[in-house]
């Protein structure tokens, strides 16, 4: 009888211990099999070339040198597209890509590595501002007084679409409008070829924003924050000259388009 009781107690103890051991093992394996990916930072690191640098974090860290793709959502195609990739180093990855100015959504991903399943980061929207020629999209309109001429250098001679010559008769002025939607800054190099004084100005439509008066045969810059301006006007006016204002420009806009 005593042996029977001892045997029954042993079976009961083993029966109680087994489920808790399996549960603990299952919990451990369940938590260990989950990997997370996240975009830690995304920024424009070269606005002239259009370079975007993305830093991602991966936890737990994958095998060193794991290929990590950067995906961009393409609205017109309604799908994700890989635009660049990097290789993991510890729990981080750095990815660079050259993109035109844009407002797009990005994510990073890491493939399955036993015992971890594949992981995709939360999406992140990013405004990528890149310098482009002021006349990339052409002139909306041009005008002035005193036989105004607003001549944009043709693409074969000025592929950046940033150069133009502005001139008018004595006492006259000339202006040109561009669509600056999606742009936040205007940077303009000015070369005054006038035989006297000229004034160069930037306008929000017809409302003056800033201006500079230029001496004969001088160079200068006219830069301004144009956040919220959707129709930017550049104007050259005669102040005092013998033949009229004549200014050459090299103008860039910082835009997402």
């Amino acid at each position: 009888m005593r042996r029977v009781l001892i045997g029954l107690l042993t079976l009961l103890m083993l029966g109680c211990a087994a489920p808790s051991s399996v549960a603990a093992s299952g919990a451990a394996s369940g938590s260990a099999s989950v990997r997370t990916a996240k975009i830690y930072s995304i920024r424009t690191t070269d606005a002239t070339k259009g370079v975007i640098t993305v830093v991602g974090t991966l936890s737990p860290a994958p095998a060193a040198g794991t290929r990590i793709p950067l995906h961009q959502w393409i609205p017109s195609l309604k799908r994700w597209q890989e635009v660049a990739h990097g290789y993991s180093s510890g729990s981080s990855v750095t990815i660079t890509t050259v993109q035109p100015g844009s407002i797009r959504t990005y994510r990073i991903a890491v493939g399955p590595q036993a015992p971890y399943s594949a992981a995709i980061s939360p999406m992140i929207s990013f405004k990528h501002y890149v310098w482009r020629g002021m006349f990339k999209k052409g002139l909306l309109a041009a005008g002035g007084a005193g036989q105004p001429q607003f001549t944009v250098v043709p693409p074969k001679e000025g592929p950046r679409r940033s150069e133009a010559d502005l001139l008018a008769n004595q006492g006259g002025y000339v202006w040109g409008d561009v669509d600056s939607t999606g742009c936040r800054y205007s940077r303009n190099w000015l070369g005054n070829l006038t035989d006297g004084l000229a004034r160069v100005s930037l306008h929000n439509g017809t409302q003056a924003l800033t201006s500079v008066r230029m001496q004969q045969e001088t160079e200068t810059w006219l830069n301004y924050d144009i956040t919220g301006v959707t129709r930017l006007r550049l104007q050259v006016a005669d102040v005092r000259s013998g033949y009229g204002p004549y200014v050459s420009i090299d103008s860039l806009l910082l835009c997402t388009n």
Side-chain angles (χ1 to χ4, degrees):
M1 178 64 71
R2 184 177 180 182
R3 289 179 179 178
V4 172
L5 289 173
I6 291 173
L8 289 171
L9 287 171
T10 301
L11 287 172
L12 287 171
M13 290 176 67
L14 290 173
C16 292
S20 62
S21 175
V22 171
S25 174
S29 63
S31 60
S33 64
V34 176
R35 171 172 279 137
T36 60
K38 180 182 179 181
I39 292 178
Y40 175 76
S41 69
I42 179 170
R43 59 196 181 95
T44 301
T45 48
D46 190 329
T48 300
K49 296 180 180 178
V51 179
I52 296 175
T53 299
V54 176
V55 177
T57 57
L58 312 161
S59 180
T66 296
R67 187 181 187 279
I68 309 296
L70 173 67
H71 296 153
Q72 183 188 81
W73 178 254
I74 310 298
S76 60
L77 302 176
K78 296 183 179 180
R79 64 178 176 84
W80 291 98
Q81 177 175 296
E82 180 177 331
V83 293
H85 64 271
Y87 296 94
S88 66
S89 176
S91 60
S92 69
V93 62
T94 299
I95 306 170
T96 60
T97 179
V98 176
Q99 297 290 317
S102 59
I103 303 175
R104 290 289 174 86
T105 301
Y106 295 87
R107 72 183 189 185
I108 60 173
V110 56
Q113 287 182 357
Y116 305 105
S117 58
I120 297 176
S121 72
M123 301 176 296
I124 185 167
S125 180
F126 177 62
K127 292 183 177 180
H128 180 44
Y129 287 91
V130 177
W131 290 108
R132 66 166 173 82
M134 177 180 280
F135 312 109
K136 179 182 177 181
K137 298 187 175 183
L139 281 171
L140 293 177
Q147 293 188 325
Q149 298 179 51
F150 196 118
T151 306
V152 178
V153 175
K156 288 184 178 180
E157 299 176 34
R160 291 189 306 153
R161 310 297 289 143
S162 63
E163 301 165 79
D165 293 317
L166 289 73
L167 62 154
N169 290 342
Q170 183 183 28
Y173 65 97
V174 56
W175 56 263
D177 289 354
V178 296
D179 183 353
S180 56
T181 303
C183 304
R184 70 179 188 185
Y185 205 80
S186 176
R187 187 173 70 189
N188 308 275
W189 174 88
L190 312 171
N192 184 23
L193 303 175
T194 308
D195 63 334
L197 292 174
R199 179 181 292 106
V200 184
S201 53
L202 292 175
H203 300 248
N204 179 3
T206 58
Q207 180 182 0
L209 297 172
T210 186
S211 66
V212 61
R213 180 179 288 198
M214 299 185 68
Q215 298 288 337
Q216 179 177 344
E217 298 180 354
T218 59
E219 301 176 3
T220 191
W221 290 88
L222 182 62
N223 304 328
Y224 201 74
D225 185 334
I226 58 168
T227 302
V229 177
T230 58
R231 190 180 182 102
L232 181 67
R233 173 172 293 185
L234 193 148
Q235 179 171 294
V236 170
D238 188 19
V239 176
R240 184 175 64 254
S241 70
Y243 300 102
Y246 181 7
V247 176
S248 289
I249 66 170
D250 191 337
S251 300
L252 299 175
L253 299 177
L254 188 62
C255 309
T256 57
N257 53 29

